[in-house]
Amino acid sequence: MNPIQPAAPVAAAPVPAPAVPPPSRKWEPPNPENKIVGRGISGMASHAPILGACVAITKGPILELGAGHFSSGILHFMAKVMGRTVLSLDSNAEWLRSVRHYATTDHVFRAVRAPHEHDALRRAWGMAFVDCGRDERTPCIRLLHHIPIVVVHD
């Protein structure tokens, strides 16, 4: 008998899966009628990945036509980190009040009668985001041909 014999193979003990507590309650989107797209992005924020990518690859000031709970926050914080400014125009003054908590000297909100009538659309911008009302969208887009990147939502 050889004094050096290979040890008998030892079966690895099964590793128990970590216990995962059940969720405390079922998650629901802010508006139950919205569909869930991708991994939990509500239909209202489906533009978030594209908007963020466009902010990341552009320079200069940002024009937002139609403020929103998701878009204004994304633009606000990304612009702040990148040292950029944002002008948000909206024709609904009451709605605008719901996002004005983002207002700073570098992120200005303006209530306007019609976004496409504002002279800001004719200025130079690094990018524009259009998320205004259905009747306002097309007249705005027609005036933005000089802006390198225009993201349109809805």
Side-chain angles (χ1 to χ4, degrees):
M1 184 175 217
N2 187 348
I4 303 177
Q5 292 182 355
V10 178
V15 177
V20 178
S24 58
R25 65 186 179 114
K26 182 181 173 191
W27 180 86
E28 294 182 13
N31 180 350
E33 294 179 15
N34 280 333
K35 294 179 181 176
I36 302 301
V37 179
R39 293 186 165 181
I41 297 176
S42 117
M44 295 185 304
S46 59
H47 60 289
I50 299 294
L51 182 60
C54 290
V55 172
I57 64 169
T58 58
K59 295 180 180 186
I62 301 166
L63 177 63
E64 179 183 31
L65 302 172
H69 290 289
F70 293 103
S71 61
S72 293
I74 291 167
L75 294 175
H76 176 83
F77 290 110
M78 287 190 75
K80 183 176 183 175
V81 168
M82 297 175 76
R84 298 169 71 177
T85 59
V86 181
L87 173 61
S88 297
L89 304 177
D90 203 296
S91 61
N92 185 333
E94 185 176 330
W95 173 255
L96 202 55
R97 281 192 285 278
S98 71
V99 293
R100 281 223 167 146
H101 56 278
Y102 292 118
T104 64
T105 56
D106 292 325
H107 190 168
V108 176
F109 290 85
R110 294 272 187 266
V112 296
R113 191 171 72 81
H116 64 278
E117 294 175 357
H118 198 281
D119 67 334
L121 276 73
R122 291 157 187 83
R123 294 186 205 146
W125 297 94
M127 68 163 289
F129 176 63
V130 182
D131 191 18
C132 47
R134 189 169 296 173
D135 296 335
E136 300 168 333
R137 196 173 305 132
T138 300
C140 287
I141 293 169
R142 287 185 177 142
L143 296 171
L144 301 177
H145 56 85
H146 63 286
I147 298 175
I149 293 184
V150 178
V151 179
V152 181
H153 184 240
D154 286 342

